[in-house]
Amino acid sequence: MKTSLNYVMSGLALLSTQSCVSNKEVVQTEQPNLIYVFPDQYRNQAMEFWGQEGFSDKVNFKADPVHTPNLNDFARQSVVLTSAMSNCPLSSPHRGMLLTGMYPNKSGIPLNCNSSRPISSLREDATCVSDVFSQAGYDCAYFGKLHADFPLPNDPESPGKYVESRWPAWDAYTPAERRHGFNYWYSYGTFDEHKNPHYWDTDGKKHEPKEWSPLHEAKQVIKYLKNEGGERDEKKPFFIMVGMNPPHSPYRTLEDCEEQDYNLYKDKPLSELLVRPNAGVDMKKAASAPFYFASVTGVDRAFGQILAALKELGLEKNTIVVFASDHGETMCSQWTNDPKNSPYSESMNIPFLVRYPDVLKPRVDNFIMSAPDIMPTLLGLCGLGQQIPEEVQGRNLAPLFMDANAKMVRPDAALYIQNLDGEKDENGLVKTYFPSSRGIKTQDYTLALYIDKKTKQLKKSLLFKDSEDPYQLKNLPLEENKEVVKELCTRMGAMLKEIDDPWFQQNILSDLVTY
Ligand code: CA
């Protein structure tokens, strides 16, 4: 499954290391740098360019009425995917897939991480994307939200205590031995006071900057890039991940976003903000829409500041920049209050834009990328395809980013995965996880099957013909679509078998799903 681009890429990387005009002499490394920016709960539809020429004819949905000027420009310099999927569209499980290139049943993170779920934490023995970059001689830096660790009572300021007092604790401090090759650290577990964020640095010192978190993180990234304080070794290429929290909830007040961004949306009627025909404009949550879109615009500005710094420092040409997200946000679509964890396109479809000047020719592509593909693809783009660990389940799609006609199978399906808490012990600690739903997303259809916790029999199904019903308004009965269901279940069964999923192991719904 793994394709190496090593020789091609190393040659191209050399070609793209020509020095640029700058007021400071820039050391260009032979291998490309990479910056991966992924805000939280940022849906693919919330990018303005999808409504613009060159993009609107590539998708069958309306763009949200958002202002994203920096992403609009960036998209025109990038390979932009219409169909990148967060297979298990929830914070920690996505981050596990992103970091390890493995599905939630192998990454160590089947459930959102908190102190009641010791079975859900990034595997310490997994070779993460940052481990590989580090071993290949990169400086690796992590900024922002991680949310991939089981919180431990290891507060650097109060040893023996969790970093927060509520139970279960969600926020976490990640000590050096659990940083997987990241040698520069400015991060936290999960915390939702967007204008009062906190971070622990490389040495475990806590910082509380009282600044809207995406803008603060952009500032910290720029400081790292400028390297005025010796943050990095300029002779080494760098790999940076930036996990921004907004546009994550809450989005209720000006405590959650910047006023200048809110002013762009505050006077618009909700019907002009929630333009998707599947949106419940009358829902209580609809009042969040102007704050959500304001957060999107603020994230766009923070992202633009990082791009501007790269340009100013002469690092633009030799730095691959990716913009993505951990999952989407339903924002009243499908009349649900649950923003994520569902197979709806607003929840599962994430932004995925990759810019690599002079190497990737800008275009829009519709191959279906799965979250575990991201890690091997990032390594492939940097010429490290040979270093992808054997255990990785995702595919190195770098050849497809390089060339739409590359001689490899174009992925055209993605799994959907939902897990819930299983058995608990006498202290309320979760001991197992219950694989409540599995599904498949293809170019034409979305199918999700839900099972009953006790009987493990089919409880509910969702089947949409997305190619004709992009807003997923009509749930097709399985009985009336037997041929389609059979085809989808055959593909899904083969994919679940390939990843050694619990549904395959336990032969779940084997009357319907072919393993
Ligand atoms: Ca999340």
Side-chain angles (χ1 to χ4, degrees), residues 36 39 41-46 61 81-91 94 97 103-104 276 278 292 324-331 333-334 336 338-352 367-374 395 412-418 437-443 445-450 462 464 466 470 472 492 495-496:
Y36 189 91
Q41 224 146 298
Y42 194 122
R43 68 186 187 186
N44 185 39
Q45 295 84 0
F61 59 80
L81 299 191
T82 61
S83 307
M85 296 297 157
S86 185
N87 308 72
C88 186
L90 195 62
S91 185
H94 177 88
M97 293 188 280
Y103 285 85
R276 298 174 70 77
N278 62 5
Y292 180 67
S325 169
D326 66 344
H327 52 74
E329 159 64 74
T330 50
M331 193 43 70
S333 280
Q334 301 292 350
T336 174
D338 191 348
K340 50 208 168 190
N341 216 6
S342 60
Y344 301 125
S345 59
E346 297 86 357
S347 153
M348 209 173 158
N349 188 192
I350 54 171
F352 207 86
F367 61 81
I368 298 185
M369 187 178 204
S370 285
D373 300 334
I374 298 172
R395 301 150 292 191
D412 60 353
L415 284 171
Y416 165 68
I417 293 168
Q418 187 202 62
S437 177
R438 295 295 181 264
I440 184 169
K441 170 93 188 75
T442 66
Q443 299 287 7
Y445 288 96
T446 296
L447 170 72
L449 305 174
Y450 293 79
L462 294 174
F464 303 108
D466 299 331
Q472 303 173 317
M492 180 169 100
M495 291 166 80
L496 291 170

Side-chain angles (χ1 to χ4, degrees), residues 40-41 90-92 95 112 145 147 248 326-327 340:
D40 194 308
Q41 224 146 298
L90 195 62
S91 185
S92 308
R95 291 153 195 271
N112 250 348
K145 175 173 179 173
H147 201 200
H248 190 283
D326 66 344
H327 52 74
K340 50 208 168 190

